[in-house]
Amino acid sequence: MTKSSMKMITSPRDDPSKPETRSAVVPDDLSGERLDRALSVLFPERSRSKLARLVELGHVRVAGRAATRPSERVEPGQTVDITFPPPAPSGVTSQ
């Protein structure tokens, strides 16, 4: 898949303590692919396993409905919305 075949809409994270929501439209060449595989192509900076976990936790919507299984199939033209929660506090404090 080429970068030109992807349509992405990004909501920049102005405050790193708040969730980041991003959207993408499934291109033709991902027709019938598993959701977790499609997400890994659309958001290559994230690992497939972490994206699958976000699906399981209810942070992904496909065509306006909540996605619940990383194995569900996607179709061209569907909009995928994903919310990346803020990073968890590390619990490490400086001295």
Side-chain angles (χ1 to χ4, degrees), residues 7-83:
K7 291 183 184 177
M8 288 208 167
I9 305 160
T10 302
S11 168
R13 189 184 299 196
D14 295 329
D15 181 349
S17 68
K18 295 191 176 176
E20 174 187 15
T21 301
R22 295 176 63 191
S23 298
V25 176
V26 176
D28 291 342
D29 56 342
L30 291 179
S31 177
E33 288 287 347
R34 288 173 52 111
L35 177 58
D36 58 346
R37 163 115 169 56
L39 289 173
S40 70
V41 171
L42 295 169
F43 305 102
E45 70 280 5
R46 309 287 177 138
S47 75
R48 183 173 174 173
S49 62
K50 289 190 189 224
L51 292 164
R53 184 72 179 133
L54 289 175
V55 173
E56 293 166 349
L57 292 172
H59 293 281
V60 178
R61 297 183 71 76
V62 177
R65 64 167 184 71
T68 57
R69 294 177 298 117
S71 62
E72 71 180 72
R73 303 295 174 161
V74 297
E75 296 302 323
Q78 289 180 317
T79 299
V80 177
D81 302 304
I82 186 166
T83 301

